[in-house]
Amino acid sequence: MGVPEDPWPGPQRPRPAGDSFGTSSLMLSLFLLLLVFFVVLTAMSSLDGIRTREVSNSLAATFAEPSPTQPPTTEPHPSGPPPLVTEVRDAIETAIPAVRIRMVQPGDLMEARFEADALFFPDTATLRPAQGRLLDRLVAALSLPPEGQRTLMEAVVGVDAVLPTTETTEVARVGALAREMWRRGAPPDTAVFGLEPGEARMLRMTFRTVADDRARTKASEPKAPEPIASDGPAISPPPRRH
């Protein structure tokens, strides 16, 4: 007599009904065990009054409404932006629309970044004649600062990681810009020009306003003695043009 053929061969054979119930019971037991574990931990724990007060005070300070006596710092100054910001920013944005301007210290320090080719012809140290108006407005801002203050400018051209030791386009551009600014009447003690490693072919200008104590210092100082003659020639900044 032959063995009867299995009507559910292989993986298609159904599981007994009791397997599903057993799995559910096991998962329910595990959940109940975890619940009991956390209940025991909660019962054994104790609240720290100091930390509770610190957390409550922190939440209250975070979500409290601002005091009506302290206006938000984002409101504009009632007297408007300082003359330095208005004049210099308008001059640069008008001549170089792609400039990136950042207020490092509102009203006191402003930074402008743009490609040097916007001021010079590409790959040369020749200034674009169309930017003469921009240079004139910058010279005016340096020559006529607010009363009791000085306006200082720093212009640096970006180079690769290593500063050049020979004559390059960047070095020539720095010299050309300095000579042109002095030729147009910029006071020699208000502008600094140089190179900096970083963004190659980029020109960065910073403008700051500082207190002018030179007149008061000169009035209080005694008269300087006559200079002693030396063997070498005297070096002086270029004369200021009026």
Side-chain angles (χ1 to χ4, degrees):
M1 183 175 181
V3 178
E5 184 179 357
D6 189 354
W8 304 98
Q12 297 180 353
R13 185 175 183 179
R15 297 180 181 179
D19 291 351
S20 176
F21 179 76
T23 302
S24 301
S25 300
L26 178 62
M27 295 299 296
L28 180 59
S29 300
L30 290 176
F31 289 146
L32 291 176
L33 181 62
L34 289 175
L35 178 60
V36 172
F37 176 74
F38 284 113
V39 169
V40 172
L41 287 181
T42 304
M44 295 175 58
S45 64
S46 60
L47 295 177
D48 190 333
I50 298 178
R51 293 187 177 180
T52 303
R53 287 194 299 270
E54 291 179 354
V55 173
S56 300
N57 295 336
S58 177
L59 292 175
T62 302
F63 296 100
E65 297 182 357
S67 175
T69 59
Q70 298 179 354
T73 56
T74 55
E75 292 185 358
H77 194 274
S79 60
L84 169 66
V85 176
T86 303
E87 175 62 23
V88 175
R89 182 166 191 161
D90 180 70
I92 299 178
E93 288 181 338
T94 300
I96 307 174
V99 65
R100 293 177 294 174
I101 293 182
R102 181 170 67 100
M103 298 302 303
V104 182
Q105 296 177 2
D108 296 327
L109 180 58
M110 184 182 72
E111 178 186 85
R113 288 179 178 268
F114 54 89
E115 292 188 3
D117 287 347
L119 202 61
F120 299 88
F121 286 111
D123 300 323
T124 69
T126 303
L127 289 162
R128 296 178 182 270
Q131 300 295 8
R133 173 60 178 166
L134 169 61
L135 299 182
D136 286 337
R137 296 182 67 177
L138 297 182
V139 169
L142 298 177
S143 304
L144 302 173
E147 184 178 357
Q149 295 179 338
R150 297 176 60 201
T151 301
L152 306 179
M153 183 190 80
E154 177 182 331
V156 292
V157 177
V159 295
D160 294 330
V162 180
L163 294 176
T165 57
T166 59
E167 182 73 14
T168 61
T169 303
E170 290 76 13
V171 174
R173 284 179 168 181
V174 171
L177 180 59
R179 289 189 296 270
E180 185 64 19
M181 291 286 290
W182 288 332
R183 187 186 70 83
R184 292 176 179 268
D189 58 345
T190 60
V192 178
F193 305 87
L195 301 171
E196 68 173 359
E199 296 182 88
R201 308 182 68 85
M202 295 294 292
L203 198 152
R204 179 175 64 88
M205 289 185 174
T206 57
F207 301 86
R208 69 175 69 239
T209 301
V210 298
D212 188 4
D213 298 330
R214 293 175 300 174
R216 183 175 55 185
T217 302
K218 291 181 178 180
S220 60
E221 290 181 351
K223 183 178 180 181
E226 295 293 333
I228 301 175
S230 60
D231 297 334
I235 301 176
S236 59
R240 182 175 179 179
R241 297 175 179 269
H242 297 281

